[in-house]
Amino acid sequence: MTANRPQPRKGVLQIDAYVPGKSSAPGVAKVFKLSSNETPLGPSPNAIAAFKAAAAELERYPDGQASLLRNALARRYGLDASRIVCGSGSDELLGLLARGYLGPGDEAIYTEHGFLVYRIAILTNGATPVVAPERDLKTDVDAILERVTPRTRVVFIANPNNPTGTYIPIEDVRRLRAGLRDDILLVLDAAYAEYVSRNDYEAGLELVATTTNTVMTRTFSKIHGLAALRVGWAYCPANVADVLNRIRGPFNLSAPAIASGAAAIDDIEHMERAKRHNDEWLPWVVRELTNLGFDVTPSVTNFVLFHFKENGSKNATAADEYLKSQGIILRKVGAYGFPNALRMTIGSEDDNKRAIAALAQFLKGAA
Ligand SMILES: Cc1ncc(COP(=O)(O)O)c(C=O)c1O
């Protein structure tokens, strides 16, 4: 009798709903959550103060243009504020880009282990997802270009990518842009850009500024510690900003989100502290995981993907169960095509040490 009830558009039932990183473990009072790439430093105190101040005017609609936030971003990065569009997390912006540029019969390309939200956004709009293989767990520009057809309308890449933590140099991104037709929108998702310290990396601002067909998305959920508030932004060519502004909700960011985001972007010192923390602990975690015998994918972000060598009792699922029993929550990444790997966010010193000690216990046979 399914024909008698409303049917979603074609493609929707092919979507596997996004499963977020877990935040609790059964029977464990205190958890150490290293599953969603959140910052252990929390947000800037100025962002918290701005959030509290916004509570005094909750009866008012927010500024539908999010001008305070767009102007703060424009000042900070030297951008044209009229080309910044803010969203309720960068997830919303990725969905709006798909809605604006994709429909039935269109194709959109993303990479083999790319962020899962792209597939959801593509299918939601009735378009066809096309997956380009990666090389050494990195975006492979040639593989993407080989998959372009006359139907291709959008290419999504995360640079750096989640869950691999790998990146490609800006020269490769430029080569990708140059190899795509002018009517194909290239979306550069730079959610982890602030963490990268490589002199051949750029998030793509210049490319956006000098083309009509490249967009960069960013988030306040990671280094700025505002994941709960849902704040993201996109830097766009004027023609793309125009499309997003036509189709977004008129008040898509709440007033507390706008105020806290603007305060966060102005607190450069806080962001630098978070970066320094990561610069200290990422190499430590990588070293410890390597010493424990894991294959660790080189990461430029605030998380690491590590691979279990055997499929017997000491596999990723068993490790995840054991860690959960100790209150330590990492991210299973089977849905990303890594059934025998885990992803660990760089946490506080205590979080990191606990996670490594628990993994050592697990390997010794505690499970
Ligand atoms: C690559 C990538 N893009 C985008 C996002 C979405 O971030 P948000 O919607 O919180 O801004 C994430 C979050 O995990 C991510 O890893």
Side-chain angles (χ1 to χ4, degrees), residues 49-257:
F51 179 82
K52 288 184 177 160
E57 292 197 328
L58 293 185
E59 73 285 7
R60 297 214 167 175
Y61 276 97
D63 167 19
Q65 311 302 321
S67 300
L68 185 75
L69 179 55
R70 288 191 303 112
N71 289 335
L73 286 161
R75 259 197 324 273
R76 171 81 160 85
Y77 292 107
L79 304 177
D80 174 354
S82 72
R83 294 170 58 172
I84 298 173
V85 180
C86 294
S88 174
S90 47
D91 282 347
E92 185 193 24
L93 293 162
L94 296 167
L96 288 173
L97 287 163
R99 183 158 17 129
Y101 289 91
L102 291 173
D106 296 333
E107 294 175 0
I109 303 176
Y110 64 95
T111 68
E112 189 180 355
H113 303 292
F115 185 46
L116 284 174
V117 164
Y118 311 145
R119 180 180 172 80
I120 295 173
I122 296 163
L123 286 169
T124 300
N125 291 286
T128 304
V130 175
V131 178
E134 296 173 359
R135 184 193 300 250
D136 298 332
L137 303 189
K138 287 185 194 165
T139 296
D140 180 343
V141 169
D142 296 308
I144 293 175
L145 293 176
E146 279 162 22
R147 277 155 188 82
V148 171
T149 75
R151 292 168 176 252
T152 307
R153 302 285 313 280
V154 179
V155 172
F156 291 97
I157 65 166
N159 196 31
N161 186 46
N162 168 22
T164 52
T166 58
Y167 81 106
I168 57 170
I170 188 68
E171 271 318 305
D172 290 358
V173 179
R174 288 202 186 101
R175 190 162 73 78
L176 174 60
R177 178 67 271 173
L180 294 171
R181 287 192 321 270
D182 286 348
D183 66 331
I184 296 176
L185 183 69
L186 174 61
V187 179
L188 303 173
D189 174 351
Y192 301 93
E194 296 87 351
Y195 283 110
V196 185
S197 325
R198 293 287 188 280
N199 57 15
D200 59 355
Y201 175 80
E202 281 176 35
L205 286 173
E206 194 197 320
L207 210 49
V208 176
T210 54
T211 62
T212 55
N213 44 24
T214 307
V215 175
M216 179 206 62
T217 59
R218 300 278 279 266
T219 182
F220 281 78
S221 302
K222 309 299 174 184
I223 204 161
H224 296 297
L226 293 178
L229 282 183
R230 316 304 302 123
V231 191
W233 60 286
Y235 196 51
C236 313
N239 49 303
V240 178
D242 176 53
V243 167
L244 294 180
N245 281 324
R246 286 171 195 261
I247 62 176
R248 69 179 173 82
F251 304 103
N252 60 333
L253 263 77
S254 70

Side-chain angles (χ1 to χ4, degrees), residues 335-347:
Y336 282 97
F338 297 113
N340 207 15
L342 292 174
R343 191 192 71 194
M344 171 176 162
T345 303
I346 305 304

Side-chain angles (χ1 to χ4, degrees), residues 2-46:
T2 51
N4 286 337
R5 57 188 200 214
Q7 298 298 312
R9 72 183 303 166
K10 200 166 155 278
V12 168
L13 296 181
Q14 281 171 261
I15 296 172
D16 292 319
Y18 185 83
V19 181
K22 290 199 176 1
S23 53
S24 62
V28 180
K30 172 147 176 59
V31 298
F32 302 87
K33 182 172 185 271
L34 300 173
S35 58
S36 299
N37 304 338
E38 296 144 337
T39 168
L41 272 64
S44 155
N46 300 347

